[in-house]
Each structure stands twice: as C-alpha cells, then as structure tokens.
Amino acid sequence: MADELTPETPDETEEPIKQRKNSLYPGVSDELAENMKSGWADTELHDLKPVAQASETAARRAALSARFPGERLVIPSGNLKTRSNDTDYPFRASVEYAYLTGNQTEDGVLVLEPTADGHEATIYLLPRSNRENGEFWLSGQGELWVGRRHSLAEAEQLYGIPASDVRELPTRLKEATGPVRVVRGYDAGIEAALHDKVTAERDDELRVFLSEMRLVKDAFEIGELQKAVDSTVRGFEDVVKVLDKAEATSERYIEGTFFLRARVEGNDVGYGSICAAGPHACTLHWVRNDGPVRSGDLLLLDAGVETHTYYTADVTRTLPINGTYSEIQKKVYDAVYEAQEAGIAAVKPGAKHRDFHDAAQRVLAEKLVEWDLVEGPVERVLELGLQRRWTLHGTGHMLGMDVHDCAAARTETYVDGTLQPGMVLTVEPGLYFQADDLTVPEEYRGIGVRIEDDILVTEDGNRNLSAGLPRRSDEVEAWMASLKG
C-alpha cells in the first residue's frame, strides 16, 4: 500500500537540487506545485442517467416531508472510521441517508428545508478535488489517492436533488432558525453544529419514522431483495462444491468462498457470515470461522449477499458435510423443517407478526416433549418457555437494507403489529443442543440446526424468495450430490 506523499531525499552522491520551498506544503517545491495544477483533461460527465431508484427516493422524501411539516430535517451519511493508524474501514452510508437519496458516499448530508408547501431537498457532498490548491494529490482523501468522485453537477443528475458543497453546511446549520431534527450517531460535526437546536426526543421521533417507513417494501426494494437472494443461492452452491477443500483447511475456506460471490455479484456480504461446522453450529453468531470442517458433522451456513444498493439476503441451511445426514442429524433437522413449514404457513396479510414465531415454537415444543427431553404437556412447556433452552432465539425479523431491518420501529407497529403485503421477513427456527448439555442424551450433544428463508408477504399469502435452495432433508442430500458429482 502506497504511503502518502513525502519529500524525496536527493541522492547523496549527486549535488543536491535547490528547491524553493512551497509555503503551504513544506517539502514540495513551487515548481512541482505549479506543475501539478495544469495539464489535466476535463473529465466532467454529462447526460448521466438517474440512479435506478430515483423515483422511489423522491416519493420517500415526499412522505418524510408530509410527516414533519415546517421543520428542518438533517440526515447524514456518516464519516470514515479508522481501522488502524492511517487505514479506514470500507465505508457504508447510513441506511436512512441511502434510503432517501440513493447516494452512498461518505460525509454526505441530506437536508430538507421547510417551505410554504412542504420541503426543498438539498444533498450536501464533497465536490471534486481542488487542483489549484493541490488537495487532489496532497490530501490522503484527495482523488489521486482514493479515486474520482462526482462533481456537484453530476450528483444532481444522478440523484435528482440540488447539490451543494458540504463544507459550507456546518455554518449554515449554526445560523439556521426554527425547529430542526437530525438522525444521530453518524456525523459528530453535523451534530455539534446543531447541539443547541435539537433534542434527543425529537430526533428519536425522526429515526423511528424512517425505520417504520421501511416496514413495507416498494417494488424496487422487492426486486433488489430477490437479486440478493438469487446471488446468495449461487454462493451456497459455491460452498457445497468446495467442501472437500474446506475439510483440508477450515471454516475460513467456506467464508472466503461465499465472500467471493458476494463481491463479484454485489457490494459485500450483508453481515458477518456464520460458517459453523460441528458444535460451532450451537453458537448463534459464530463468526470467528476458524474451526475444523469434518466429514460426518453438520455445517450451519448463515450468509447473505448485499446488493450494490445495500439490500441483503439472510439465508441459512444446515448441511451434512459428507452429503448425508446421520439418523440423529436427520431427526433434528426434520423437526426444524416441520417447524419452519408451520411458521411460513402463518405468514399472510392480516396475521399478527408474532403468529409465525408461535407456530414454529409450538412444533419444536411438541418434538421436545415427544423425545422426552422436557416434561409436557406442550401447553405447560410453552407457557413456561421451557423449550427456549434449545430453541434460543426468535423465529424471524424484518429484512431490507439492514439484515435486522426497521429495528427502531415501535413495538406496536413491528413486534406487536400486523403483517401487510410488501413486508419481507425471515422465518428461521432452530434447535441447538450444546456440547456440554447434560440434560439431553449424548447423541444430541453438539448438534445445531437452523433453516432460514426470506419470505415476502403477498396479497393472498406469501412467497418464498429463497425457494431456489432445497430445504427438505432428502432434497438437500440430492442437491448436494448433484453439485459434487
């Protein structure tokens, strides 16, 4: 990785070249500074097409405007975060900002200024790097170092929003009057400029509304989620094809294989891939992915591709590493499959959000009683939550630009709410028998099974977006055999 520009040291065997020191940048000669100002082609782009979701983002801004008339609304994208020393984490814009603009660049801010008949939106961005003052080649975030960014005029074409220089925004916000709300947690500089104008309670109302806006997906979002799922299906196929190589290395081979598909076809993985072999499958968020992959064990693979527009899949399959479930593995797997079938059947418009969880939990409780792992009757088990020792987690969540989407929504509109057409959620029951659980027979210990699919609520029921991946145990075995053959 190249270091940032530092003055060159003259060869000591030659007579040093005299340089006139540049007053702005010590170590840079006036001659070099002057040379770097000119000789560059005009690369301005014209007639750019708007981003694919431009009409949707405009409608979302209109809905936001209607909810908060007469108030200035400030939604930042966020800033770069240091990974170590002088390297940064890959940037991902805040969901609220990307949802309303389609833009994904750091330091951006969307501002909705109140007007007599609504709001006027402006997107504040960094303009092209300045060639006159040398910023483009002397700053670590200049375009020579990190790549070309769009001009403000180009941004206006792409996003359909008037664009201004974000460096002027803090002063404008400090001078602004009237009620203001800001989405907190992404840009400390913007928050500092507004610190005496906003309150946490009012800002929370803005974040909650933006979260609840995403509960029902529009057609563009559903299409993006299907793209994410389709790529994820191919990523799972990739993994099955290299299980022999994973056995020779570790779970990291599985993680890397799926990541390649995510980067080739999308933006990234939507969350840390869970590549849990053997007893690691009993750890719900096993993302270390550094354990062995052994024939005869199960692989719980929970992974999702994120599209270039930030929509992510979230799919889980529990696969026999050697291609065939053992008797006890199949027994547990088939129970989870039956629970998932019951959960998916409960996903329909008008149903309570909790219904699919309750349906899946009932099946699992029935199985645990049937296997004499917990004392019945089933109603007692469910009333006391005794099945949770082995089921552990909720049966699903909303899905979208966040893997756990709409997390700031109110309980009454989400967890205690009613399903509507256009909602997309996961259905993911599981059974997990920890390796050190002495309350179950030894044959169960170390077995963890989860099956997860992404379900769209439709007008007349639901559609499984991830139906391209087999779920039934015999179909999984046949699918794996066909890929390995």
Side-chain angles (χ1 to χ4, degrees):
M1 184 177 185
D3 196 2
E4 291 186 18
L5 188 69
T6 55
E8 293 186 6
T9 302
D11 189 330
E12 294 181 357
T13 63
E14 299 179 5
E15 184 177 347
I17 299 173
K18 291 184 179 180
Q19 298 181 346
R20 286 180 293 160
K21 300 285 181 149
N22 185 281
S23 60
L24 290 178
Y25 298 101
V28 174
S29 69
D30 286 341
E31 286 81 356
L32 177 58
E34 191 64 29
N35 177 274
M36 292 295 286
K37 290 181 181 180
S38 60
W40 306 104
D42 180 6
T43 61
E44 184 75 9
L45 303 175
H46 303 281
D47 301 321
L48 291 173
K49 294 181 180 180
V51 294
Q53 68 270 44
S55 60
E56 284 81 7
T57 56
R60 296 165 192 166
R61 293 193 299 275
L64 178 60
S65 172
R67 171 61 180 81
F68 298 104
E71 302 185 53
R72 181 175 288 101
L73 307 175
V74 182
I75 301 94
S77 70
N79 314 126
L80 291 170
K81 291 182 172 59
T82 300
R83 180 180 184 272
S84 178
N85 190 24
D86 59 350
T87 60
D88 299 310
Y89 285 105
F91 180 75
R92 189 183 191 275
S94 74
V95 164
E96 294 87 351
Y97 174 85
Y99 179 74
L100 293 168
T101 66
N103 178 256
Q104 299 178 4
T105 56
E106 66 270 17
D107 302 324
V109 184
L110 173 68
V111 178
L112 272 62
E113 297 280 355
T115 63
D117 55 355
H119 285 84
E120 180 178 293
T122 302
I123 189 170
Y124 288 85
L125 302 166
L126 284 172
R128 295 290 310 280
S129 285
N130 191 316
R131 303 293 174 105
E132 281 297 310
N133 68 10
E135 180 260 337
F136 93 101
W137 67 289
L138 289 169
S139 165
Q141 292 301 316
E143 291 182 350
L144 183 145
W145 291 96
V146 298
R148 185 188 189 277
R149 51 185 178 248
H150 287 294
S151 70
L152 299 180
E154 292 169 353
E156 291 182 357
Q157 296 178 65
L158 288 168
Y159 309 112
I161 312 171
S164 292
D165 189 335
V166 72
R167 293 170 295 190
E168 301 169 359
L169 182 58
T171 299
R172 293 186 187 181
L173 293 177
K174 288 178 183 177
E175 297 172 351
T177 59
V180 184
R181 297 178 192 256
V182 62
V183 177
R184 300 189 183 207
Y186 298 118
D187 194 317
I190 294 300
E191 290 178 37
L194 292 169
H195 77 280
D196 60 345
K197 304 175 187 295
V198 295
T199 66
E201 181 180 2
R202 288 166 52 79
D203 293 345
D204 284 346
E205 289 177 354
L206 173 60
R207 169 161 267 168
V208 166
F209 179 77
L210 288 171
S211 193
E212 292 181 357
M213 279 183 71
R214 304 199 307 274
L215 283 168
V216 175
K217 269 59 181 177
D218 57 39
F220 175 84
E221 293 180 285
I222 293 169
E224 289 299 291
L225 284 166
Q226 186 65 68
K227 285 182 190 176
V229 168
D230 292 345
S231 289
T232 298
V233 169
R234 290 188 283 273
F236 273 67
E237 292 171 347
D238 296 340
V239 167
V240 171
K241 292 175 182 177
V242 300
L243 281 177
D244 58 335
K245 294 183 174 64
E247 286 187 59
T249 52
S250 75
E251 295 163 337
R252 290 188 177 187
Y253 203 97
I254 294 167
E255 180 183 2
T257 298
F258 188 85
F259 180 68
L260 177 61
R261 177 66 64 173
R263 287 293 283 164
V264 168
E265 295 193 0
N267 177 57
D268 205 333
V269 289
Y271 53 96
S273 298
I274 299 169
C275 308
H280 289 163
C282 298
T283 301
L284 296 183
H285 288 167
W286 177 261
V287 293
R288 298 180 201 171
N289 299 334
D290 58 0
V293 178
R294 298 188 178 101
S295 179
D297 283 346
L298 295 176
L299 167 67
L300 190 156
L301 178 58
D302 184 338
V305 172
E306 177 185 83
T307 67
H308 294 292
T309 55
Y310 287 174
Y311 289 87
T312 184
D314 182 8
V315 178
T316 306
R317 290 293 183 269
T318 306
L319 311 172
I321 292 169
N322 64 10
T324 305
Y325 295 101
S326 70
E327 183 178 349
I328 185 63
Q329 290 169 351
K330 186 176 187 300
K331 177 181 178 179
V332 176
Y333 184 95
D334 287 349
V336 175
Y337 171 78
E338 187 177 329
Q340 195 201 27
E341 283 283 274
I344 293 174
V347 175
K348 53 190 174 184
K352 294 295 184 183
H353 181 269
R354 293 182 184 271
D355 287 352
F356 75 92
H357 170 73
D358 293 341
Q361 288 288 298
R362 175 170 290 276
V363 171
L364 295 177
E366 290 171 349
K367 296 296 182 182
L368 292 167
V369 171
E370 177 186 326
W371 299 341
D372 293 324
L373 300 183
V374 64
E375 182 182 349
V378 170
E379 293 301 334
R380 168 185 172 273
V381 173
L382 292 170
E383 182 181 352
L384 299 176
L386 301 179
Q387 81 285 359
R388 293 180 61 183
R389 180 182 177 102
W390 303 284
T391 65
L392 298 181
H393 55 79
T395 307
H397 51 81
M398 292 294 175
L399 186 66
M401 297 179 84
D402 279 326
V403 65
H404 296 145
D405 208 25
C406 313
R410 294 166 296 172
T411 299
E412 58 266 32
T413 58
Y414 184 172
V415 179
D416 290 337
T418 300
L419 297 182
Q420 303 175 48
M423 289 182 170
V424 180
L425 50 91
T426 68
V427 179
E428 51 173 315
L431 280 174
Y432 312 90
F433 299 102
Q434 306 298 323
D436 58 351
D437 187 350
L438 301 180
T439 70
V440 300
E442 187 174 358
E443 64 177 348
Y444 289 91
R445 297 174 199 166
I447 293 178
V449 173
R450 181 164 64 251
I451 311 171
E452 178 180 20
D453 285 271
D454 301 341
I455 310 297
L456 167 68
V457 183
T458 62
E459 295 289 344
D460 57 357
N462 68 67
R463 174 159 60 92
N464 186 348
L465 300 179
S466 46
L469 273 181
R471 290 186 297 127
R472 210 173 63 202
S473 57
D474 60 335
E475 293 175 342
V476 169
E477 291 176 338
W479 169 70
M480 293 183 69
S482 69
L483 291 172
K484 289 184 174 182

